[in-house]
């Protein structure tokens, strides 16, 4: 059986061969590849790998030696990843050429967030043998994009936003645009994999005839070794894995911080990912977004600039260090399906505080962390919603800090849960089982 993977990122192994930057995004793809490639080779499954490259480059193709009996064929197709709300017909040509060259028996697309999934599904044109793995859901995320921010912030536009045509309202529209291609792709496919009640609900709502296959994720290998300990962490240190756009909810955390500091004045917050704050110099001024401006305002207004640290883009080892150093990992997002950051924290046994949004409750049970009522689409415009959510977050963090023994007990249960959920061997067997089920149908 010949299976073509279409992914949002390049595998690190391929990136090294092509002298490309693999980045830190979606590192779990590499983890899954490492877990299954040996099993596939042993079961007669020939894997092909397709990934986006920048527009203007020449199409890429080659092979990566896995062992003496097995080569991984790979292909790069051209896509404007910065304009993911736009459907580019050039992708269809590239993906059609890939289909002709590789001749897959089964197409497996990872994620629906980019229009290349729709292009691949259309060019393969065999819904009964097409599988889409659900990651995020742009069409749904758009509903929570503004994240209870004040109207003055939502309507704010900086020079950067004007130049890039990327104000907060335009960002939300882009998510809605991506959601159109996402919806079309799900309607075109016969099979999806998912792992939460959230993604099952939405995919079957969009396509009632789709067959849903439950499958958990294999995470990056670094997070299967090592374990959080109270002795090894810094007391009252909070870690967020992202905070560069509203959905990730950094502003909720900053609004909660003053009250947390009243009780625990040594509290520190560390945020991974792109730093959106303005630095000295004209170039930084031009790059300041409306959301970055809002975050800067909160830091200054609440006098917490020395309590919040932006760690920048981190690789797996650096992320692991942050989880282990922190007393609690916080996920204050408005929308998530099954965030890998939560899975990573759970695997390491880092105590967790999270909003009960999206698919979170399919990952974490009530007695495995501190779960609070977060964003609600139907309540988003109600007066006092921002204050309610911030209050819930504050209470959850303080409860964790107030009861360290209970916090450790819950974290240990979460770790045991995650070791089952993210077991590479179990997930490897399940993926190949799904391929066999589709092949036999």
């Amino acid at each position: 059986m010949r299976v073509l993977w279409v992914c949002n990122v390049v595998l690190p192994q391929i990136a090294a061969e092509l002298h490309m930057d693999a980045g830190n995004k979606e590192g779990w793809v590499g983890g899954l590849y490492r877990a299954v490639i040996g099993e596939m080779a042993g079961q007669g499954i020939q894997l092909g790998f397709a990934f986006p490259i920048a527009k203007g480059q020449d199409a890429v193709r080659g092979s990566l030696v896995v062992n003496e009996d097995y080569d991984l064929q790979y292909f790069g197709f051209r896509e404007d990843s910065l304009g993911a709300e736009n459907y580019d017909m050039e992708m269809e040509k590239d993906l059609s050429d890939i289909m002709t060259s590789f001749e897959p028996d089964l197409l497996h697309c990872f994620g629906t967030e980019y229009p290349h999934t729709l292009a691949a599904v259309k060019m393969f044109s065999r819904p009964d043998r097409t599988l889409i793995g659900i990651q995020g859901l742009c069409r749904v995320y758009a509903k929570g994009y503004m994240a209870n921010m004040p109207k003055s912030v939502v309507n704010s536009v900086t020079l950067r936003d004007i130049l890039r045509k990327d104000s907060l309202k335009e960002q939300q529209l882009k998510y809605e645009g991506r959601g159109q291609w996402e919806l079309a792709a799900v309607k075109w496919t016969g099979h999806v994999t998912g792992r939460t009640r959230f993604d099952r609900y939405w995919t079957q709502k969009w396509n009632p005839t789709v067959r849903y296959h439950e499958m958990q994720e294999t995470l990056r290998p670094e997070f299967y070794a090592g374990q959080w300990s109270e002795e090894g962490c810094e007391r009252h240190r909070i870690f967020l894995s992202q905070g560069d756009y509203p959905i990730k909810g950094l502003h909720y955390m900053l609004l909660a911080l003053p009250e947390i500091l009243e009780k625990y004045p040594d509290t520190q917050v560390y945020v991974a990912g792109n730093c959106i704050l303005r630095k000295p110099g004209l170039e930084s001024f031009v790059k300041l977004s409306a959301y970055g401006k809002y975050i800067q305002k909160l830091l200054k207004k609440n006098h917490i600039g020395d309590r919040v640290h932006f760690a920048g883009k981190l690789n797996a080892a650096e992320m692991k260090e942050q989880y282990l150093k922190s007393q609690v990992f916080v996920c204050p997002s408005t929308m998530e399906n099954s965030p890998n950051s939560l899975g990573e924290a759970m695997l390491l046994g880092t105590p967790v505080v999270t909003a009960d949004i999206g698919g979170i409750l399919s990952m974490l049970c009530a007695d495995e962390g501190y779960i609070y009522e977060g964003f609600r689409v139907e309540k988003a415009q109600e007066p006092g919603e921002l204050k309610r959510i911030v209050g819930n977050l504050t209470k959850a963090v303080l409860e964790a800090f107030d009861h360290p023994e209970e916090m450790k007990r819950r974290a240990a249960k979460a770790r045991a849960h995650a070791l089952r959920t993210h077991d590479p061997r179990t997930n490897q067997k399940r993926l190949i089982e799904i391929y066999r089920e589709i092949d036999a149908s």
Side-chain angles (χ1 to χ4, degrees):
M1 181 181 7
R2 299 175 67 81
V3 179
L4 178 66
W5 283 11
V6 177
C7 296
N8 299 338
V9 293
V10 61
L11 283 173
Q13 297 89 337
I14 297 173
E17 184 158 302
L18 296 175
H19 306 290
M20 295 172 58
D21 178 17
N24 299 319
K25 184 182 176 185
E26 298 184 32
W28 63 268
V29 174
L32 177 62
Y33 166 77
R34 282 187 288 269
V36 303
I37 190 64
E39 187 75 13
M40 287 184 172
Q43 294 204 26
I45 298 175
Q46 177 62 53
L47 181 66
F49 189 90
F51 58 94
I53 57 175
K55 286 179 65 64
Q57 293 188 15
D58 293 332
V60 172
R61 62 183 58 199
S63 62
L64 183 70
V65 176
V66 177
N67 58 46
E68 59 183 14
D69 300 316
Y70 194 94
D71 288 354
L72 171 71
Q73 295 182 52
Y74 61 79
F75 310 87
F77 57 87
R78 290 161 288 195
E79 180 178 40
D80 178 11
S81 60
L82 297 178
E85 71 280 7
N86 301 314
Y87 189 89
D88 186 349
M89 297 300 293
E90 188 176 55
M91 286 188 302
E92 290 194 358
K93 181 182 182 306
D94 283 0
L95 284 160
S96 177
D97 290 344
I98 292 170
M99 302 297 172
T100 300
S101 177
F102 186 71
E103 296 183 323
D105 300 304
L106 189 152
L107 173 67
H108 185 176
C109 297
F110 288 77
T112 55
E113 301 96 326
Y114 293 90
H116 64 243
T117 293
L118 175 58
V121 167
K122 288 173 65 179
M123 293 304 96
F124 187 52
S125 196
R126 298 183 66 185
D128 60 316
R129 302 186 71 80
T130 298
L131 175 68
I132 294 179
I134 302 300
Q135 295 172 187
L137 292 168
C138 293
R139 190 174 178 84
V140 186
Y141 286 12
K143 301 175 187 297
Y145 197 85
M146 295 309 179
N148 306 107
M149 291 186 298
K151 286 185 178 180
S152 59
V153 177
V154 171
N155 295 326
S156 176
V157 180
T158 65
L159 178 59
R160 172 257 184 211
D161 298 340
I162 294 170
L163 294 174
R164 294 190 181 186
K165 298 181 180 179
D166 195 41
S167 68
L168 286 165
K169 289 183 176 180
E170 287 168 320
Q171 289 171 25
Q172 185 178 43
L173 288 173
K174 289 175 183 179
Y175 260 75
E176 292 173 356
R178 294 168 74 174
Q180 294 179 24
W181 315 130
E182 176 178 69
L183 176 64
V186 172
K187 286 185 173 182
W188 267 74
T189 192
H191 303 266
V192 298
T193 62
R195 57 211 156 270
T196 68
R197 291 187 293 273
F198 179 71
D199 62 37
R200 180 190 286 266
Y201 170 82
W202 285 107
T203 53
Q204 293 188 330
K205 180 183 175 87
W206 296 340
N207 181 356
T209 66
V210 77
R211 183 175 175 187
Y212 184 93
H213 303 265
E214 186 169 336
M215 190 186 118
Q216 299 295 337
E217 284 190 334
T218 298
L219 302 179
R220 294 179 285 183
E222 289 84 354
F223 299 97
Y224 290 87
Q227 186 173 352
W228 178 91
S229 69
E230 186 177 25
E231 297 75 21
C233 77
E234 296 177 13
R235 286 173 60 81
H236 310 138
R237 177 170 172 150
I238 295 169
F239 178 52
L240 278 68
S241 64
Q242 287 187 67
D244 57 346
Y245 58 110
I247 289 175
K248 295 302 178 181
L250 174 58
H251 55 289
Y252 295 132
M253 187 71 252
L254 300 189
L255 288 165
L257 189 54
E259 187 173 340
I260 295 170
L261 284 166
E262 286 181 14
K263 188 166 187 180
Y264 296 102
D266 59 340
T267 300
Q268 301 283 338
V269 176
Y270 286 77
V271 186
N274 295 320
C275 179
I276 56 175
L277 301 185
R278 182 186 174 187
K279 299 177 183 177
L282 179 61
E283 182 180 355
S284 181
F285 172 74
V286 173
K287 290 182 177 180
L288 183 66
S289 67
Y291 189 60
K293 185 178 178 181
Y294 177 47
I295 294 301
Q296 284 196 166
K297 180 180 178 181
L298 292 179
L299 292 171
K300 184 176 180 179
K301 179 182 178 181
N302 295 324
H303 307 288
I304 53 176
D306 62 336
R307 300 293 178 173
V308 181
H309 312 275
F310 292 85
K313 295 181 180 179
L314 305 178
N315 61 29
E318 292 166 335
M319 286 288 288
K320 180 178 176 179
E321 182 181 10
Q322 289 291 336
Y323 289 119
L324 296 179
K325 278 186 175 180
S326 301
Q327 189 171 17
V328 67
F329 167 74
V330 174
C331 176
S333 302
T334 61
M335 291 284 181
E336 295 280 3
N337 181 26
S338 59
N340 289 327
S341 57
L342 175 59
E344 291 167 353
M346 291 171 65
L347 270 178
L348 291 171
T350 302
V352 168
V353 171
T354 180
D356 62 346
I357 41 82
I360 295 292
L361 295 184
S362 295
M363 294 183 69
L364 184 75
C365 297
D367 63 343
E368 296 173 348
Y370 294 85
I371 302 172
Y372 66 92
E373 187 176 288
F375 178 83
R376 296 289 184 268
V377 172
E378 65 277 10
K379 295 182 178 181
Q381 303 303 319
E382 292 183 9
E385 265 301 281
L386 178 60
K387 184 177 180 181
R388 179 189 68 81
I389 295 171
V390 169
N392 290 344
L393 169 56
T394 304
K395 182 179 178 181
V397 172
L398 290 176
E399 186 179 354
F401 285 171
D402 286 346
H403 303 97
E405 291 303 314
E406 173 64 13
M407 181 177 65
K408 286 193 294 183
R409 185 193 71 81
R410 295 189 188 195
K413 289 194 69 174
R415 183 170 187 266
H417 185 171
L419 286 169
R420 296 190 302 271
T421 299
H422 302 293
D423 179 65
R425 180 63 180 168
T426 300
N427 297 339
Q428 162 198 316
K429 290 173 63 178
R430 177 58 183 147
L431 179 61
I432 293 174
E433 183 180 86
I434 292 169
Y435 288 166
R436 295 295 186 199
E437 289 172 3
I438 296 173
D439 189 47
S441 62

